[in-house]
């Protein structure tokens, strides 16, 4: 197990290929344009898997979107374990399908014509995919900071802040802290998002809710280590 602080690079091109499992926190998948700008193409929250296997190289940079704890494996060792462990292989297949469904949801968010619609749609999807406790309380957790949230929504930090402030002034949401919000008027949030609530419910239900339980890749009970040179294999 390894611990990374927000903004640290977990993997980039040129490093030895790894696969990993997010135990706590979130990581972001980043690509860079020729002019140095970056794009966030995905966010993986705990519990979640990242990396490519079976000869397909990871073509994007993986960074810690928050303070994270990850279990890291050398790719070749992980591939060998997949062959020997059907439970782990099934888990990885389900993780890949889950991430594909999340990519479809992000396309739905980015198709919105205004920033406030994107923010509202994102919050509704997060609410529906949250735990039973959070859904009842109307609590939405945004796993990335405001700058990354803006990049994820393909807009500016100022536009996201204005949209959140507008929702607060309407009494639609309340700010708990920088990462957590409470939905006060669900019907109003749906109206602003211009989405069909039943469609969103069916979309989230079709992929199921991920449970933060111990996965087949969490085999090590050893100490968490700070980032260091090389790859720390958490299980043999």
């Amino acid at each position: 197990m390894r611990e990374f602080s927000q903004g640290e690079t977990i993997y980039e091109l040129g490093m030895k290929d790894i696969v990993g499992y997010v135990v706590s926190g979130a990581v972001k998948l980043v690509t860079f344009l020729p002019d140095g700008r970056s794009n966030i193409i995905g966010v993986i929250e705990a519990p979640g898997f990242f990396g490519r296997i079976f000869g397909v190289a990871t073509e994007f940079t993986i960074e810690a979107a928050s303070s994270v704890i990850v279990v890291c494996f050398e790719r070749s060792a992980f591939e060998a374990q997949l062959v020997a462990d059907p439970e782990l292989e099934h888990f990885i297949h389900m993780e890949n399908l889950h991430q594909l469904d999340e990519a479809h949801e992000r396309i739905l968010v980015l198709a919105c014509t205004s920033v406030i619609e994107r923010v509202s749609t994102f919050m509704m999807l997060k609410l529906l995919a949250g735990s039973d406790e959070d859904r009842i309380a109307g609590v939405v957790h945004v796993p990335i900071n405001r700058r990354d949230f803006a990049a994820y929504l393909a807009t500016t930090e100022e536009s996201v802040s204005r949209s959140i402030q507008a929702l607060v002034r309407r009494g639609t949401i309340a700010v708990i802290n920088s990462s957590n919000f409470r939905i006060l008027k669900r019907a109003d949030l749906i109206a602003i998002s211009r989405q069909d609530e039943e469609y969103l419910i069916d979309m989230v239900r079709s992929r199921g809710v991920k449970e933060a339980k111990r996965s087949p890749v969490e085999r090590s009970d050893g100490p968490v280590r700070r980032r260091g040179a090389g790859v720390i294999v958490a299980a043999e």
Side-chain angles (χ1 to χ4, degrees):
M1 284 191 177
R2 300 168 66 187
E3 182 179 2
F4 294 85
S5 299
Q6 181 179 340
E8 282 193 282
T9 298
I10 299 171
Y11 172 85
E12 61 184 351
L13 292 176
M15 294 176 63
K16 189 170 185 178
D17 282 338
I18 63 171
V19 294
Y21 181 77
V22 185
V23 178
S24 68
V27 302
K28 56 184 177 180
L29 315 181
V30 182
T31 60
F32 293 93
L33 301 176
D35 62 5
R37 290 179 297 160
S38 62
N39 286 324
I40 297 177
I41 60 173
V43 175
I44 300 174
E45 297 179 68
F49 166 85
F50 64 86
R52 296 290 185 88
I53 53 177
F54 299 130
V56 181
T58 301
E59 71 276 14
F60 37 74
T61 297
I62 300 171
E63 297 180 356
S66 64
S67 295
V68 296
I69 296 176
V70 297
V71 181
C72 294
F73 301 84
E74 291 183 351
R75 191 172 74 174
S76 59
F78 191 80
E79 290 173 351
Q81 185 64 28
L82 278 180
V83 174
D85 190 340
E87 182 186 3
L88 178 60
E89 184 179 30
H90 175 77
F91 173 80
I92 296 304
H93 283 314
M94 295 305 295
E95 281 290 305
N96 288 335
L97 289 173
H98 188 91
Q99 290 179 23
L100 181 61
D101 287 336
E102 288 185 334
H104 293 161
E105 291 174 8
R106 188 186 180 202
I107 291 172
L108 179 67
V109 170
L110 293 179
C112 295
T113 56
S114 68
V115 176
I116 195 168
E117 289 176 19
R118 294 179 193 177
V119 172
S120 299
T121 301
F122 176 90
M123 288 191 173
M124 272 305 306
L125 287 168
K126 292 294 290 183
L127 178 67
L128 294 172
S131 66
D132 291 340
E133 181 181 357
D134 284 345
R135 286 198 302 275
I136 292 171
V139 173
V140 169
H141 174 68
V142 179
I144 49 182
N145 62 32
R146 189 65 55 85
R147 182 183 61 185
D148 287 345
F149 187 32
Y152 185 78
L153 297 180
T155 186
T156 64
E157 189 173 348
E158 292 77 12
S159 294
V160 170
S161 295
R162 284 195 298 268
S163 296
I164 290 174
Q165 291 167 9
L167 291 171
V168 170
R169 287 194 299 269
R170 287 175 64 107
T172 306
I173 68 171
V175 178
I176 299 174
N177 53 45
S178 60
S179 299
N180 294 281
F181 304 85
R182 189 180 304 278
I183 308 303
L184 302 178
K185 297 179 181 178
R186 177 166 167 164
D188 194 40
L189 192 67
I190 281 290
I192 296 170
S193 72
R194 303 181 69 180
Q195 302 292 342
D196 183 295
E197 184 172 8
E198 290 301 318
Y199 177 78
L200 296 184
I201 291 173
D202 289 341
M203 174 180 283
V204 172
R205 183 186 294 129
S206 68
R207 67 176 170 89
V209 177
K210 293 174 71 174
E211 298 179 4
K213 61 185 179 181
R214 190 171 178 84
S215 81
V217 302
E218 291 180 79
R219 308 288 191 185
S220 174
D221 294 317
V224 177
R225 305 188 189 183
R226 289 292 303 168
R227 178 182 178 177
V231 176
I232 298 173
V233 179
E236 297 181 356

